[in-house]
Amino acid sequence: FNLVKTLEITLHNGVDPATGKQIGLQTGQPDTFSSFDQLFEAFRRQLQHFIEIKLRGNQLIERMYAEQMPAPFLSVLIDDCIRKGRDYNAGGARYNNTFIQMVGLGSITDCLSAVREMVYDTRSITLSDMVKVLDVNFEGNETMRQRLVHRTPKYGNDNDYADEIMVRVFNACFEQIDGRPNTKGGKYRVE
C-alpha cells in the first residue's frame, strides 16, 4: 500500500496527477488547509478511502485463490491444513492472518515533516506553491529542492519532530486495518 501516493492524491484534492482522474475523495485544495492538522486529517480520510478499496480487492483475490487456485503442496507443509481437510488458501492453516504492507513509511514521514516545517511552522512557502513546485519536479527551483532535502527533519535520525509524524501515520494505518476479518478466518494486520 503506497503511502506517498496517498499524500500526492490528497494534495490534489483526490485527483491522481499522473492520470488527471478523480480517484480519491475531494478533501480540499491545498490552500484550504490552514493547519498541519487539517492537512493530516485530509490525508487520513484519503488513507481510509484507499484502505477500504485495498481490503475489498484483497478479499476478492483471497476468495478467488480459495475457490480456483488450490495449493496442495503448500497445504501439506503448513500446520493444520491436513487435520482440517482444507487447502491453505481456503483457511486450512493454523494461522490465517493477512498482512498489508505499508510501503514508504520513512518517505511519507519525511514528506509530511517537510510540509509541516516549511508550510506551517516557518511559513517559508504556501502549500499551494509547494504543490506547484512538486508538480514540475522542482524545475527552476533547485534551491527549494535542496532545502527540502537538507534542511528539514527526517525520519530515522532520532528526531522527535519527524518521529511523532511517523507514529501518527502508523497509527492511522493501524486503526483502519488491524483486526479486521479476512476471508480465511483470520485477521488483517499491518506490516
Side-chain angles (χ1 to χ4, degrees):
F1 186 94
N2 189 329
L3 293 167
V4 179
K5 185 67 177 181
T6 304
L7 177 61
E8 181 181 41
I9 292 167
T10 303
L11 293 173
H12 291 86
N13 197 21
V15 173
D16 180 356
T19 65
K21 293 181 180 178
Q22 182 81 39
I23 62 170
L25 303 174
Q26 292 183 347
T27 53
Q29 294 294 341
D31 59 359
T32 64
F33 306 125
S34 61
S35 70
F36 179 75
D37 288 338
Q38 287 180 352
L39 170 61
F40 193 86
E41 177 58 22
F43 170 73
R44 191 197 59 71
R45 287 183 57 218
Q46 292 290 359
L47 195 63
Q48 180 179 10
H49 170 73
F50 287 113
I51 285 172
E52 289 300 322
I53 293 169
K54 169 72 173 150
L55 293 181
R56 284 195 311 267
N58 268 42
Q59 290 174 348
L60 288 171
I61 291 168
E62 288 170 5
R63 284 195 303 272
M64 179 185 71
Y65 269 75
E67 295 167 8
Q68 299 174 12
M69 302 178 80
F73 184 71
L74 180 62
S75 298
V76 168
L77 298 174
I78 300 294
D79 288 341
D80 293 351
C81 289
I82 293 173
R83 185 182 62 74
K84 291 180 181 178
R86 298 182 79 184
D87 185 78
Y88 172 81
N89 290 327
R94 181 176 301 168
Y95 305 106
N96 286 297
N97 292 329
T98 301
F99 292 89
I100 305 296
Q101 184 177 22
M102 308 312 285
V103 177
L105 187 60
S107 296
I108 190 66
T109 300
D110 291 351
C111 291
L112 288 169
S113 176
V115 167
R116 183 178 182 184
E117 172 151 320
M118 294 197 60
V119 173
Y120 299 105
D121 291 353
T122 66
R123 301 196 184 278
S124 303
I125 188 171
T126 67
L127 187 56
S128 294
D129 287 342
M130 181 179 275
V131 170
K132 289 175 190 170
V133 169
L134 294 171
D135 284 347
V136 296
N137 197 26
F138 299 98
E139 189 175 305
N141 208 329
E142 181 63 17
T143 303
M144 174 64 67
R145 189 183 79 77
Q146 289 296 325
R147 184 164 179 205
L148 289 168
V149 169
H150 299 291
R151 304 262 186 244
T152 57
K154 301 285 188 277
Y155 174 69
N157 291 302
D158 195 26
N159 181 306
D160 291 344
Y161 187 95
D163 292 349
E164 183 268 336
I165 293 171
M166 184 280 300
V167 169
R168 283 179 77 174
V169 171
F170 179 83
N171 285 339
C173 296
F174 185 84
E175 290 164 6
Q176 292 300 317
I177 295 172
D178 194 68
R180 292 177 65 173
N182 66 18
T183 63
K184 300 181 291 186
K187 306 283 185 198
Y188 285 106
R189 302 291 184 205
V190 175
E191 181 175 58

